[in-house]
Amino acid sequence: MGYAIMFQKFSDYLSGFGFATKDTSEEKPKFEYSLDKDKKEQLKDSEEKPKVVALYDKSGGTTYCDLTIEYLETKGFEVIPVTPQEGLSHPAFTGKVNGIYLPGGPNVPVNDHRDPRKKFEGDLTELAQTKDIPLLGICRGQQTVGHFHGLNVTDIPEDANQHELHYEHFDTVFNDTKDPTYNSKVVVGEGSQLYNALHYKLKHKDKGDIEYNVTCLHHQHVEENEANSSLRVTGRGKFDGLVESVEKRTGKYYTLGLQHHPEAVISACSEARREKVNRIKEEALEAQVDVNHFSDPDIAYYTTIQYDKKLREAYTPSKDEKAARAELGFFSKQVKQHYLESAPKREASIVTRDSFPWGF
């Protein structure tokens, strides 16, 4: 008798007694690059850091590039800024590169084949594919990835009054968030690795579309082309359907493009959190001063509990911040896995009698 038949018969038997067996037909989307405990310990013990090369163009785009570099450094990476003038001749490329970052910046000069930045972006896009290196492109970075995969990069559609239609829904987003950080909304459908990363981070309860608010700052976009399947479109704008995210598997790893700016969301949320936490702590201190802890211990205790709750709420990230961290986490976790492929393995400790001075 086959195992499947035996299991079904056993399930039927248990159901007769009121026991329900777990339905495994609806498995959760799997994010490939989550790190288990051993890999986290291996990273912690390593003397070196995963290395990320960041295109750094001082003529434009450094503000948000710096925010992403700061985020990546908090993840334990060595981030090496390389200018278009230095290109692939930079010493960083003599060793192993674990990740590549293409930031935002001025509009892509699609018809200027001599532009040094665009040439370097093309070199890095090709390097990520041929060497199977995780790549993250944000804003212009996504556009150049699309450009070098044969997709058109054009200006955002405008109405008769030259208003960019992509930014006509700010009020709708603000009514939802009450936060001016956000000006657009993205929809990511199931089936992509980005979706799996979001599902993993947000603990999404089903396999339906995932929507979240984002910060857009672009004036160009990648045109979707059904005849060109070199890149997979993974996310679109909720209001206009413009391409908001793309991905391509290059081997074990992915090239990831994001039209919006998760680094801006993370930075704004972190700053707002710091201000809110400081304000709550000041209010809590003032409240405790006004309470007599000897004559009114119950009121003092209640005040402490009340402000502890406010602090917990202040430290809890919103869904939109979690989504931004999931997007960058898709890249950063790949970088860590890429690094661990050639990193020294962590040796298991052997327990002997000498480990215990008092003996067994």
Side-chain angles (χ1 to χ4, degrees):
M1 184 182 294
Y3 288 114
I5 297 175
M6 291 175 63
F7 179 78
Q8 185 60 51
K9 286 183 175 292
F10 185 62
S11 298
D12 294 342
Y13 173 76
L14 289 178
S15 63
F17 289 92
F19 294 105
T21 55
K22 184 178 180 181
D23 182 10
T24 58
S25 62
E26 288 293 328
E27 295 183 358
K28 292 182 179 180
K30 182 180 179 182
F31 179 51
E32 296 179 34
Y33 304 102
S34 57
L35 299 173
D36 59 28
K37 182 179 178 181
D38 288 341
K39 288 183 177 179
K40 289 178 181 178
E41 290 295 329
Q42 186 180 349
L43 274 170
K44 188 188 300 183
D45 294 343
S46 178
E47 295 181 358
E48 298 180 348
K49 295 180 179 181
K51 185 167 70 176
V52 174
V53 167
L55 186 152
Y56 202 82
D57 186 0
K58 296 178 182 178
S59 65
T62 57
T63 299
Y64 293 98
C65 182
D66 288 340
L67 289 180
T68 306
I69 289 175
E70 181 182 325
Y71 170 86
L72 294 174
E73 288 177 340
T74 65
K75 296 301 175 183
F77 299 160
E78 177 189 2
V79 183
I80 304 173
V82 180
T83 67
Q85 290 71 31
E86 294 169 313
L88 295 180
S89 63
H90 191 282
F93 296 102
T94 59
K96 186 170 182 178
V97 175
N98 305 114
I100 297 170
Y101 164 50
L102 304 180
N107 288 347
V108 180
V110 293
N111 297 317
D112 184 357
H113 303 295
R114 296 176 300 175
D115 180 72
R117 173 167 177 167
K118 194 180 84 168
K119 180 183 181 304
F120 189 32
E121 287 165 330
D123 291 340
L124 291 174
T125 301
E126 183 178 2
L127 182 66
Q129 292 184 74
T130 57
K131 299 295 186 181
D132 191 22
I133 302 172
L135 182 146
L136 169 66
I138 294 179
C139 198
R140 170 173 167 148
Q142 170 175 281
Q143 294 162 14
T144 51
V145 167
H147 174 71
F148 287 107
H149 281 82
L151 294 170
N152 290 333
V153 177
T154 61
D155 291 342
I156 292 174
E158 297 179 344
D159 62 15
N161 297 318
Q162 295 186 320
H163 293 150
E164 292 175 327
L165 299 176
H166 189 64
Y167 296 100
E168 291 294 301
H169 301 278
F170 175 81
D171 289 343
T172 302
V173 176
F174 182 76
N175 288 336
D176 179 31
T177 64
K178 302 297 185 291
D179 188 339
T181 299
Y182 308 100
N183 58 8
S184 191
K185 188 183 289 286
V186 169
V187 181
V188 176
E190 64 175 303
S192 66
Q193 193 60 208
L194 174 61
Y195 179 88
N196 293 352
L198 289 162
H199 201 286
Y200 176 80
K201 183 70 173 180
L202 298 175
K203 296 179 172 57
H204 201 54
K205 294 182 179 180
D206 54 43
K207 289 188 178 182
D209 292 348
I210 297 177
E211 296 185 8
Y212 50 99
N213 299 295
V214 299
T215 299
C216 287
L217 302 167
H218 56 104
H219 303 287
Q220 290 180 310
H221 72 111
V222 175
E223 283 189 340
E224 191 167 359
N225 183 352
E226 293 183 359
N228 185 337
S229 59
S230 59
L231 287 176
R232 177 174 188 164
V233 176
T234 58
R236 297 174 177 82
K238 180 177 177 64
F239 306 113
D240 55 15
L242 293 186
V243 175
E244 283 290 341
S245 56
V246 297
E247 68 183 37
K248 176 181 182 177
R249 189 162 201 136
T250 56
K252 288 184 179 180
Y253 301 102
Y254 283 85
T255 285
L256 165 67
L258 302 170
Q259 187 57 77
H260 45 278
H261 287 266
E263 77 282 12
V265 170
I266 293 171
S267 176
C269 290
S270 298
E271 181 60 30
R273 181 178 297 110
R274 279 192 293 270
E275 293 178 0
K276 188 173 183 179
V277 166
N278 288 337
R279 186 171 64 252
I280 292 172
K281 287 182 177 179
E282 290 176 1
E283 292 173 356
L285 185 60
E286 292 176 1
Q288 290 290 355
V289 169
D290 294 337
V291 174
N292 189 318
H293 288 252
F294 295 99
S295 61
D296 299 313
D298 291 341
I299 295 177
Y301 176 75
Y302 174 77
T303 302
T304 300
I305 295 299
Q306 184 183 28
Y307 282 99
D308 282 348
K309 180 181 178 182
K310 287 184 177 181
L311 279 174
R312 286 196 301 271
E313 291 173 350
Y315 280 117
T316 303
S318 67
K319 175 185 175 182
D320 299 320
E321 183 185 353
K322 286 182 179 179
R325 292 184 180 277
E327 290 179 327
L328 292 188
F330 178 14
F331 173 67
S332 64
K333 286 183 171 60
Q334 287 188 86
V335 172
K336 292 176 181 179
Q337 294 278 17
H338 190 275
Y339 168 78
L340 288 172
E341 284 183 356
S342 58
K345 302 298 182 187
R346 186 168 183 260
E347 295 183 4
S349 58
I350 301 175
V351 179
T352 65
R353 289 181 61 91
D354 295 335
S355 302
F356 300 89
W358 56 84
F360 286 102

